[in-house]
Amino acid sequence: MNEKRINLNINDKNLYLNILKNDPKNYEAILKLGLIDVNENNLSFAKEKFKKLLKINVARYEGHLNLSNIYSLEGDILKANNILKNFLINIKEDIEIINALAIKLSNLKENGSLEIHINKYIDKYESHILYYLKGYILSKRDRISESEVFFKKSIKLNVNFWNGYQVLLKQYEKQSRLTDFKKIITGAKKIFKNNIMLTYYEALYFFRVKDYKQSLNILTNNEVEKKFLIQKNDVVLADYFHLLSRVNEKLAFFKESYSFAIKRNNITLNFKENKIFKKELILDTITVYKNFFDKPSKQNIINVSKGINHSNLAFLIGFPRSGTTLLDTILRSHSKTLVLEEKPYLLDVRHDFYKNHKINDILKINEAEKIKMQKQYFNSFNYKSDKLIIDKYPLNLIELGFIKTLFPKSKIILSIRHPLDCIISCVLTAFKMNDGMVNFENVHTTSFFYNECFELLFKYFYYFEINYHEVKYEKIITNFEDEINKLIKFLNLNFEENLKDFQNTAKRREKINTPSYDQVVQPIYSTSINRYKNFEEIKDIEIDIARWIKQLSY
């Protein structure tokens, strides 16, 4: 969020200078001259003026607030925050200072301090900022319904507060609450006349209700297109290209769809926060694993210690876009399962282990250490002993060696989809970036990553002689009951009618943390099968993937 500054209409610098000739301690004139200095980037002059305001009237908030903002601009965050804290503790409570400190804590991502600050004042003062940030904290904890209450309070208190509308639009769309989504758009259009993001959400609405032509008409309107292309927010531009890619595919403009996806990927990979991710890190890890688990004589792991009982644990793995979210939604419809949210529970244990160990130590874990690591894993979520725990994290397939060493009795579900469909879908999808997702820049980088992952996967299968169950995405689509029956039997569960009603399971979830959130709420559809055939670009990598097409019986 942007920090608030007093931004009055200042046109005549000489006017305020003349006022000071007759009244050297005129608070308003000094304040406005300080703001002129800020606008002209004369921060040192502005700082002196704001300090002077504190001497003239220490009880007024404007000098403290603007001096704090100056220190923020200079990078002295501690001093900036202490000015505001000191005002609240030693002078008086003022909602402008309360709001400003809340915004600074939010920008610093100090959520613990932010929550304490909000809870101290939210019942004493009606503030759209505090309501909004309270909602933000709740949404970060996946308490979506509770967060919605505060976001609504925020825009009710300040109908011109765009941030409140935007977060509700995002939540409603993610939840597929399209009636509420449309209602917010209609109301916001009466207030925000030239808001380019509101235009984007309107186009997104028409996409979601399958009026693809209307969506494309909005996005390609000359004035709209110009506004998107000239604005400086790369996140907004990436969203624009992503929606254009999706709409063009639905209208069978496949070349354009791929082109916009590549443009989006190029922008996204250059986000400041994404530059920390390097595809080489995960590729190097795969290489190390491939070399280690390629020994001519396999280790006998039949008598390896099992640690604590984990017979109720299964891992759902697969290459991204292979149908894992669909399987997740189907399986969580069963009364005897607990499907974990897609979070790196296992990777956290793995990272802690390798801080002090080398790769060959994985096969030397003693009983006490194994039990300690297993407990660390089970304590990281709300474990229920009477449920089948299903940990769905697709790229855990890279850590299958770690899984089978730490949890040798765990069941493995492998989600499979035509390799070329997986690859084109990964390129076309807007993923949240990490060291794995940065490999999906184009079909060439994605096919290379696919090859590396599956070479490693089959080395694991050979090395550990893993008893796994393969579920083909295409068979779920064409023969749902038979394919799911086989899976349920493998998991030692009984078939339940609820499994057929998985769309409603998805709709009841407040948040689905994958790019497939808008697909799993729909009935089974077959248009995703052989998707790759629509894209000429896929021909460039068919020969590279031919062995996996054959190996996986496609």
Side-chain angles (χ1 to χ4, degrees):
M1 290 180 66
N2 294 324
E3 296 173 9
K4 180 176 179 178
R5 294 183 204 154
I6 308 300
N7 189 18
L8 303 174
N9 187 14
I10 304 166
N11 296 312
D12 194 346
K13 188 174 184 177
N14 291 328
L15 170 66
Y16 303 118
L17 290 171
N18 287 330
I19 291 173
L20 293 180
K21 287 179 182 179
N22 299 318
D23 183 5
K25 293 185 178 181
N26 186 291
Y27 195 100
E28 295 298 332
I30 296 171
L31 172 62
K32 292 171 182 178
L33 285 169
L35 291 170
I36 290 174
D37 287 336
V38 173
N39 290 335
E40 294 176 351
N41 207 30
N42 296 321
L43 299 186
S44 59
F45 293 150
K47 189 190 298 183
E48 292 308 310
K49 290 180 176 66
F50 297 142
K51 285 181 178 179
K52 191 173 183 179
L53 292 179
L54 305 191
K55 295 177 181 179
I56 294 170
N57 188 344
V58 73
R60 284 187 63 166
Y61 78 87
E62 293 97 326
H64 300 268
L65 176 58
N66 283 284
L67 185 59
S68 173
N69 287 340
I70 294 291
Y71 284 120
S72 289
L73 291 170
E74 292 179 338
D76 195 340
I77 305 302
L78 181 63
K79 186 172 284 189
N81 288 357
N82 283 341
I83 288 172
L84 302 181
K85 291 176 182 178
N86 178 69
F87 186 93
L88 294 173
I89 295 170
N90 297 315
I91 301 175
K92 64 178 180 180
E93 291 182 1
D94 185 285
I95 191 57
E96 297 293 344
I97 299 294
I98 291 167
N99 286 342
L101 183 55
I103 292 170
K104 288 180 186 294
L105 293 172
S106 173
N107 289 341
L108 291 169
K109 295 182 169 49
E110 294 184 7
N111 290 343
S113 298
L114 174 61
E115 185 170 20
I116 293 170
H117 178 72
I118 290 171
N119 290 342
K120 184 176 181 179
Y121 298 107
I122 197 167
D123 292 329
K124 295 174 69 175
Y125 300 94
E126 282 199 326
S127 162
H128 70 280
I129 297 295
L130 295 184
Y131 288 148
Y132 172 80
L133 291 174
K134 178 70 173 181
Y136 167 80
I137 288 172
L138 290 168
S139 68
K140 285 295 180 184
R141 294 176 179 167
D142 291 341
R143 292 163 63 179
I144 304 302
S145 295
E146 294 173 74
S147 74
E148 182 181 339
V149 172
F150 287 97
F151 292 137
K152 284 182 174 179
K153 281 186 175 183
S154 178
I155 60 175
K156 184 178 181 181
L157 205 57
N158 184 350
V159 295
N160 296 306
F161 185 55
W162 168 248
N163 296 51
Y165 291 90
Q166 184 160 17
V167 74
L168 281 173
L169 286 166
K170 287 181 178 179
Q171 281 192 182
Y172 289 158
E173 196 269 330
K174 288 277 187 182
Q175 293 175 300
S176 296
R177 291 168 57 183
L178 300 183
T179 301
D180 293 326
F181 186 58
K182 176 63 173 173
K183 186 177 179 180
I184 291 284
I185 292 170
T186 302
K189 284 176 71 175
K190 296 174 183 176
I191 301 165
F192 305 98
K193 301 299 182 184
N194 296 299
N195 187 310
I196 193 64
M197 283 308 297
L198 192 52
T199 304
Y200 164 82
Y201 285 116
E202 187 172 28
L204 180 57
Y205 169 77
F206 284 113
F207 174 81
R208 291 299 308 275
V209 296
K210 302 182 180 180
D211 190 346
Y212 305 122
K213 288 184 179 179
Q214 179 63 12
S215 181
L216 187 61
N217 286 339
I218 292 172
L219 295 171
T220 55
N221 173 279
N222 286 338
E223 287 302 312
V224 170
E225 186 175 24
K226 192 181 298 182
K227 286 180 181 178
F228 273 110
L229 295 178
I230 65 171
Q231 57 79 45
K232 298 178 181 179
N233 189 328
D234 282 345
V235 175
V236 172
L237 188 57
D239 285 342
Y240 175 65
F241 286 147
H242 178 55
L243 185 52
L244 275 170
S245 174
R246 299 173 78 191
V247 173
N248 273 285
E249 183 183 10
K250 293 297 185 181
L251 292 171
F253 302 138
F254 301 113
K255 190 173 185 63
E256 291 83 354
S257 174
Y258 185 82
S259 175
F260 281 120
I262 296 301
K263 287 180 180 179
R264 178 209 63 221
N265 291 347
N266 290 337
I267 293 172
T268 305
L269 289 169
N270 283 298
F271 288 170
K272 183 179 178 180
E273 63 269 26
N274 289 341
K275 288 185 177 180
I276 63 171
F277 302 118
K278 305 293 181 186
K279 62 170 68 81
E280 293 78 16
L281 292 178
I282 199 165
L283 291 172
D284 289 347
T285 298
I286 291 173
T287 298
V288 170
Y289 285 163
K290 281 165 59 179
N291 291 335
F292 181 76
F293 290 104
D294 196 34
K295 296 177 181 178
S297 57
K298 296 188 293 181
Q299 172 110 358
N300 184 352
I301 63 167
I302 295 174
N303 296 316
V304 168
S305 69
K306 310 299 186 293
I308 61 178
N309 179 38
H310 56 271
S311 58
N312 65 328
L313 177 62
F315 289 89
L316 172 53
I317 62 174
F319 200 76
R321 307 300 293 160
S322 64
T324 53
T325 300
L326 176 59
L327 273 178
D328 163 323
T329 308
I330 293 168
L331 287 170
R332 73 171 61 240
S333 303
H334 199 285
S335 64
K336 298 297 183 182
T337 64
L338 172 63
V339 182
L340 304 182
E341 291 297 333
E342 194 169 313
K343 293 180 180 178
Y345 301 108
L346 180 91
L347 287 181
D348 290 342
V349 179
R350 180 261 188 210
H351 293 334
D352 286 347
F353 176 78
Y354 282 121
K355 284 177 184 176
N356 302 305
H357 294 84
K358 296 179 180 178
I359 186 168
N360 58 340
D361 293 334
I362 190 63
L363 301 178
K364 303 174 185 176
I365 301 175
N366 61 40
E367 181 80 3
E369 189 172 17
K370 176 171 287 191
I371 290 173
K372 180 182 177 182
M373 292 165 68
Q374 290 173 333
K375 286 182 177 179
Q376 179 188 347
Y377 172 80
F378 285 123
N379 289 337
S380 64
F381 56 87
N382 187 20
Y383 175 76
K384 295 183 179 180
S385 60
D386 61 336
K387 298 280 189 178
L388 173 66
I389 309 297
I390 301 175
D391 187 341
K392 176 246 181 178
Y393 199 82
L395 282 180
N396 268 346
L397 67 84
I398 295 170
E399 298 297 337
L400 192 52
F402 188 82
I403 290 172
K404 292 310 291 184
T405 305
L406 187 59
F407 297 108
K409 288 294 186 180
S410 63
K411 296 179 175 65
I412 303 299
I413 307 163
L414 175 64
S415 183
I416 292 291
R417 184 182 180 189
H418 193 295
L420 297 177
D421 273 342
C422 279
I423 289 167
I424 194 63
S425 294
C426 284
V427 176
L428 295 174
T429 298
F431 288 101
K432 182 178 180 181
M433 286 296 129
N434 57 37
D435 292 327
M437 302 303 108
V438 293
N439 286 277
F440 302 145
E441 185 176 357
N442 54 55
V443 292
H444 300 283
T445 57
T446 308
S447 66
F448 182 81
F449 187 49
Y450 189 97
N451 267 315
E452 292 294 292
C453 287
F454 274 82
E455 281 184 5
L456 174 61
L457 183 65
F458 277 87
K459 285 183 185 295
Y460 284 143
F461 288 160
Y462 173 74
Y463 192 95
F464 289 100
E465 296 182 348
I466 296 171
N467 177 27
Y468 67 97
H469 184 78
E470 179 182 295
V471 181
K472 282 197 170 179
Y473 173 79
E474 294 83 0
K475 288 185 178 179
I476 297 177
I477 303 301
T478 58
N479 196 356
F480 178 90
E481 197 157 336
D482 182 60
E483 191 71 0
I484 298 304
N485 254 317
K486 292 176 183 175
L487 171 60
I488 293 300
K489 186 176 180 180
F490 171 75
L491 297 174
N492 296 323
L493 297 172
N494 296 317
F495 189 88
E496 294 180 351
E497 289 299 313
N498 286 341
L499 296 169
K500 299 177 184 178
D501 194 32
F502 67 89
Q503 306 102 297
N504 285 325
T505 298
K507 289 176 182 177
R508 286 191 294 270
R509 292 177 68 185
E510 287 198 326
K511 186 176 181 181
I512 299 175
N513 295 309
T514 76
S516 304
Y517 67 90
D518 60 337
Q519 296 166 2
V520 294
V521 297
Q522 301 177 33
I524 292 287
Y525 59 97
S526 61
T527 54
S528 55
I529 297 177
N530 293 327
R531 185 185 190 187
Y532 74 92
K533 291 183 178 180
N534 297 318
F535 294 89
E536 288 290 319
E537 294 79 6
I538 211 74
K539 293 179 180 178
D540 295 340
I541 53 100
E542 276 189 279
I543 191 169
D544 301 325
I545 302 298
R547 58 175 165 159
W548 302 118
I549 296 173
K550 182 178 180 181
Q551 176 87 37
L552 300 173
S553 303
Y554 282 102

